[in-house]
Amino acid sequence: MKNDFIILVTEYAATGSGYSSIARKLIRDVGKLYPNTDIVVLGLSYKNEEHDENARIVAARSFSDIPVMLHNIVLSGAAVRAIIVALDIPLQVKIIEWIHENTRVPIKDIPYIGVFPLEAPPLSMTWAASIEKMTGVFVLTDFAVREIKRHGIDARRFPLSIDTDFWRPPTDSEKRAARGKFMIPDNAFMVLMVADNQERKNLSAAVSGFSKFILDEKSIQYDERGYVIASEYKVPDAEMHIVTRVNSPFGWDFTDLLFRNGVMPDITLHERGLPMDDLRDLYFAADVLLSTSKAEGLALPVLEAIACKLPVIAVDATATKEHLSQAGGILMQPSYTIIDPFGNEERYIVTGDTVAMALQEARDNLQKYDIYRDYIIEKSDGLAFIEALKGVIDGKA
Amino acid sequence: MAKRKRQLSAVLDVVIPVFNQSHHLVRCLSAIDEATSVKMNVIIVDDGSSEDIRAVVSEKYPSAAYIRKQKNEGFPSAVQTGVAAGRAPFVALINSDVVLHKGALDTLLESFNKPVPPSAVDMPTSVEVGIVAPKLLFPSMTTHGVPGTIQHAGLALDHHFKPFHLFLGWRADHPKANERRSVQAVSGAVMVFRREVWREIKKIAEPMSVVYGRGTFEDVEFCLLARHVGYRVVYEPNAVGEHYVGASAEAAGGYNITRNYEIFRARMGEIAIWDAWYQV
């Protein structure tokens, strides 16, 4: 047992996810900076699986456990050097407001470092007021840094942490093997989506766009419900694979969506939580990654695709705009913008027609899109981050 | 085999509560002699089994003391009976569904005299090691966990004071699961304790209390009380066994975990601590 502690509060799952990769990077970097300090991770979604991290990982069954755990750790008299919270802004706000209201134990004297994405501008003033109370602020994109600084709050970029040894371009034989694994013909145009089944991902536009891309509009016959009951193919050799949460209580009914758009035979759904090798093989097998998200704070699948040199089609806004404008890809113009109830942030909506045009462009001119993979490496440079983190923890920020 | 005389100078009383599941007992007994080289008494407490446990004991371990309870009263009561029947300075409590590896009991006994790294769970009054428990693995024939992985490596309490197994399901040689350490509690599946711990606890409470009925939580309470009276509870990873977990519960017709948890919280809430965050 070492003498003092740094507590990290985050989502921690054994399989890859955005926050899990952030958590692993933080554990590594904090461990190097402070080798004599114990790192304790309060892990939401953690189910006591085996791990080899240089940290203690405690399962937090639900978010409401977090304040209790923090309170008890500080109450025990443990010397806590810093609390690092890597969670979405609304959860950060809850924690930091609780800390400032909790007068029983001196938690608010402990440096609080927030690591979080901003999905889209603007940053609401209510959120900004809470973020201002943090000792250190690290966000996942350059646009998020700019947006937070507009509120007079100093923010820095959290470096990317993509494992570029794992996420890499496939060899020809690997691509063929990956296609064979998923029974994708060699000459098929394969579109991959890796997106949770939730409203922000705009999956209905993706399915509608794919339908418009592959079906001959003039041949489509609809029934009285508006469902496609017969059609001919304009693009007979295309297929789509979607890695998602197939049965989400808050998401689309895929059976209805695919059937309605006449693409039931052409889209394969993969339940999320695939073994990492299988997930990567889908990237290896794909010709293009499609993202129709209305906003993205990081867009991890897009980064993984860039690392694999897989061309990406995404919305020209937020994180996807930031990544593809530097790494290359096809950016889709949103048809309109709305203000979302989530933090009053903007959301950028693409329609099925736009998606269809982008898919056509990708299929016709794929060879034009050379991806600048070094973008990932450049944005992974963590020296400035480590210095900034140390400055915050040691009180020299 | 000639019947051995009961060892009056025994160092160790091995108490094995049994309720049916004689096939497990056979395996357990077959491994006992290899588990230690010290003088010991084996005391089998038949907790009202419907199977002929006496016949099994006569055949497999005729030198064992066999105590038959007419009625099934549950694990805690059987343990109390077995401990009371012995006199040795150390007591090994072993579930009948456990098979210890060679030398395991010797390693546990040696552990009492080895230094233990200081731990945040140590009570200010902690002096001697009072209870030691081994690493237990899932055996090859089990549906409760991946065979060969960890079933027991010490217990910790979460912030609701619910005990849970540290490193459950992890690989047997994982470094984190092979640190000798002070813990708040260990499983009653296998534990070795100084008889004086039992005596000291008895001055303030009922050790292995029958208030827990058929069982669960009585072993955790026993450990917390041992710490409360000044002893340390230690996990010893160099002693190994296999636990056919679930057999005991199945034989007992299930445990009332919810009820026993409420009893445990009410009784131990003042002395239990949330230690998960520095044990994992």
Side-chain angles (χ1 to χ4, degrees):
Chain A
M1 169 106 22
K2 297 165 189 171
N3 289 327
D4 51 12
F5 300 85
I6 286 177
I7 300 172
L8 170 60
V9 182
T10 188
E11 292 270 346
Y12 188 92
T15 54
S17 71
Y19 279 117
S20 295
S21 64
I22 290 170
R24 288 185 178 92
K25 178 169 174 59
L26 280 166
I27 291 169
R28 269 197 318 270
D29 288 347
V30 171
K32 278 188 209 152
L33 272 176
Y34 303 102
N36 294 320
T37 296
D38 258 322
I39 302 168
V40 176
V41 179
L42 306 184
L44 292 158
S45 306
Y46 177 58
K47 292 178 176 36
N48 297 308
E49 301 102 321
E50 181 177 316
H51 68 85
D52 292 307
E53 306 284 0
N54 180 23
R56 302 168 187 278
I57 304 179
V58 189
R61 283 182 301 182
S62 70
F63 179 74
S64 58
D65 285 344
I66 299 295
V68 175
M69 289 170 148
L70 286 173
H71 176 101
N72 284 349
I73 291 172
V74 176
L75 192 68
S76 74
V80 180
R81 292 185 80 151
I83 298 172
I84 305 174
V85 181
L87 289 171
D88 287 350
I89 296 179
L91 298 180
Q92 299 258 8
V93 166
K94 283 197 168 113
I95 294 175
I96 198 146
E97 292 305 327
W98 170 81
I99 283 175
H100 280 259
E101 285 160 18
N102 186 335
T103 51
R104 286 189 60 202
V105 290
I107 299 186
K108 78 175 175 197
D109 301 330
I110 300 169
Y112 180 112
I113 295 149
V115 179
F116 53 89
L118 182 68
E119 285 170 356
L123 175 66
S124 85
M125 61 185 220
T126 317
W127 283 0
S130 292
I131 291 169
E132 204 171 19
K133 294 176 184 163
M134 297 180 187
T135 321
V137 177
F138 294 93
V139 288
L140 306 189
T141 51
D142 290 329
F143 86 81
V145 171
R146 288 192 298 272
E147 185 60 29
I148 290 174
K149 282 186 170 174
R150 279 170 23 143
H151 289 262
I153 302 168
D154 188 28
R156 294 182 179 95
R157 170 99 189 234
F158 186 86
L160 294 181
S161 52
I162 306 293
D163 179 355
T164 49
D165 290 330
F166 183 80
W167 296 104
R168 56 168 177 77
T171 61
D172 288 342
S173 61
E174 283 173 332
K175 191 171 182 82
R176 274 195 302 275
R179 289 211 158 200
K181 180 192 252 183
F182 294 104
M183 294 185 289
I184 301 167
D186 285 342
N187 63 343
F189 179 71
M190 196 281 238
V191 180
L192 176 66
M193 288 195 82
V194 180
D196 191 24
N197 185 4
Q198 55 166 285
E199 174 267 332
R200 182 166 56 85
K201 304 294 181 172
N202 201 7
L203 297 180
S204 53
V207 172
S208 161
F210 184 72
S211 172
K212 290 173 196 289
F213 167 58
I214 67 169
L215 299 182
D216 177 4
E217 196 182 2
K218 295 193 201 65
S219 70
I220 294 176
Q221 294 174 41
Y222 299 93
D223 67 8
E224 54 279 359
R225 298 168 301 178
Y227 286 65
V228 173
I229 52 169
S231 65
E232 290 182 17
Y233 283 107
K234 190 172 55 175
V235 178
D237 59 349
E239 57 184 270
M240 183 184 260
H241 290 248
I242 307 178
V243 180
T244 188
R245 200 172 11 156
V246 178
N247 294 308
S248 164
F250 311 110
W252 283 273
D253 172 353
F254 277 111
T255 306
D256 179 85
L257 194 65
L258 268 52
F259 193 57
R260 181 191 294 265
N261 284 275
V263 288
M264 186 68 89
D266 310 296
I267 294 183
T268 304
L269 300 172
H270 303 267
E271 183 64 39
R272 71 172 185 180
L274 287 173
M276 292 305 285
D277 286 343
D278 287 349
L279 179 62
R280 187 179 63 173
D281 277 340
L282 279 170
Y283 282 81
F284 281 359
D287 290 300
V288 70
L289 180 90
L290 172 65
S291 168
T292 47
S293 292
K294 300 175 187 175
E296 282 289 351
L298 178 64
L300 187 63
V302 169
L303 294 170
E304 289 164 351
I306 292 170
C308 292
K309 294 199 86 165
L310 175 66
V312 176
I313 300 169
V315 179
D316 190 12
T318 69
T320 48
K321 176 190 181 81
E322 183 166 307
H323 299 326
L324 297 198
S325 61
Q326 297 178 70
I330 299 172
L331 285 169
M332 298 183 287
Q333 293 308 306
S335 298
Y336 60 96
T337 310
I338 60 168
I339 299 294
D340 195 78
F342 185 80
N344 295 349
E345 292 174 351
E346 288 183 346
R347 293 290 184 258
Y348 307 89
I349 319 298
V350 293
T351 63
D353 289 323
T354 308
V355 173
M357 285 194 298
L359 286 170
Q360 190 68 54
E361 165 65 14
R363 184 168 180 268
D364 292 343
N365 297 306
L366 202 60
Q367 67 285 354
K368 253 174 46 178
Y369 294 95
D370 186 31
I371 307 306
Y372 181 61
R373 184 176 189 260
D374 282 354
Y375 168 76
I376 302 289
I377 309 216
E378 286 163 11
K379 294 296 181 185
S380 301
D381 180 15
L383 278 179
F385 162 71
I386 288 176
E387 277 171 24
L389 181 67
K390 190 170 187 346
V392 171
I393 293 174
D394 293 346
K396 298 182 185 66
Chain B
M1 188 195 301
K3 195 165 179 169
R4 288 179 286 169
K5 285 191 183 162
R6 177 123 174 251
Q7 306 269 14
L8 293 174
S9 56
V11 170
L12 181 68
D13 287 329
V14 177
V15 173
I16 306 177
V18 181
F19 179 61
N20 291 324
Q21 307 268 325
S22 55
H23 56 290
H24 284 300
L25 179 63
V26 166
R27 266 198 292 253
C28 176
L29 290 175
S30 302
I32 289 286
D33 281 345
E34 291 277 291
T36 184
S37 55
V38 304
K39 289 184 186 167
M40 62 172 174
N41 285 319
V42 176
I43 303 167
I44 294 174
V45 182
D46 179 356
D47 192 18
S49 302
S50 54
E51 292 175 25
D52 191 354
I53 300 297
R54 183 191 291 269
V56 171
V57 174
S58 295
E59 184 191 347
K60 293 295 176 188
Y61 214 98
S63 67
Y66 171 77
I67 303 171
R68 162 91 182 164
K69 290 166 73 88
Q70 294 307 311
K71 209 172 68 164
N72 172 241
E73 291 176 327
F75 180 81
S77 173
V79 172
Q80 287 183 359
T81 302
V83 173
R87 294 285 180 271
F90 290 90
V91 179
L93 169 61
I94 303 176
N95 274 20
S96 59
D97 57 1
V98 168
V99 177
L100 288 174
H101 287 194
K102 185 174 176 183
L105 284 175
D106 282 344
T107 304
L108 290 170
L109 287 168
E110 284 158 12
S111 195
F112 281 92
N113 297 320
K114 281 194 195 156
V116 186
S119 162
V121 297
D122 287 336
M123 308 281 277
T125 50
S126 294
V127 179
E128 278 187 301
V129 175
I131 302 175
V132 184
K135 176 169 64 179
L136 296 176
L137 308 178
F138 287 107
S140 54
M141 301 287 287
T142 182
T143 55
H144 290 270
V146 177
T149 62
I150 288 174
Q151 187 274 315
H152 170 267
L155 305 179
L157 300 188
D158 71 14
H159 55 287
H160 299 289
F161 296 147
K162 257 200 189 133
F164 68 95
H165 282 269
L166 292 162
F167 316 118
L168 180 68
W170 292 36
R171 64 183 194 272
D173 63 351
H174 196 289
K176 278 180 180 272
N178 283 282
E179 291 172 11
R180 189 160 173 278
R181 58 170 76 190
S182 278
V183 289
Q184 246 190 127
V186 291
S187 168
V190 181
M191 58 162 71
V192 179
F193 54 88
R194 296 179 190 272
R195 186 171 285 276
E196 70 198 54
V197 172
W198 187 276
R199 287 193 204 111
E200 287 301 311
I201 291 174
K202 249 187 134 166
K203 293 176 185 173
I204 59 164
E206 182 194 7
M208 292 286 176
S209 175
V210 299
V211 73
Y212 293 104
R214 286 198 182 125
T216 76
F217 290 91
E218 73 285 346
D219 46 1
V220 182
E221 179 178 289
F222 180 69
C223 292
L224 295 188
L225 288 170
R227 285 162 39 79
H228 189 63
V229 298
Y231 293 93
R232 297 172 84 181
V233 179
V234 170
Y235 162 65
E236 173 54 76
N238 293 311
V240 184
E242 287 165 21
H243 185 194
Y244 290 79
V245 67
S248 309
E250 196 185 303
Y255 296 128
N256 194 335
I257 293 175
T258 307
R259 168 190 169 269
N260 282 7
Y261 168 57
E262 294 303 324
I263 292 172
F264 172 76
R265 268 201 77 154
R267 286 162 66 95
M268 294 289 113
E270 293 291 312
I271 65 173
I273 54 178
W274 172 47
D275 66 332
W277 66 280
Y278 49 76
Q279 289 290 24
V280 292

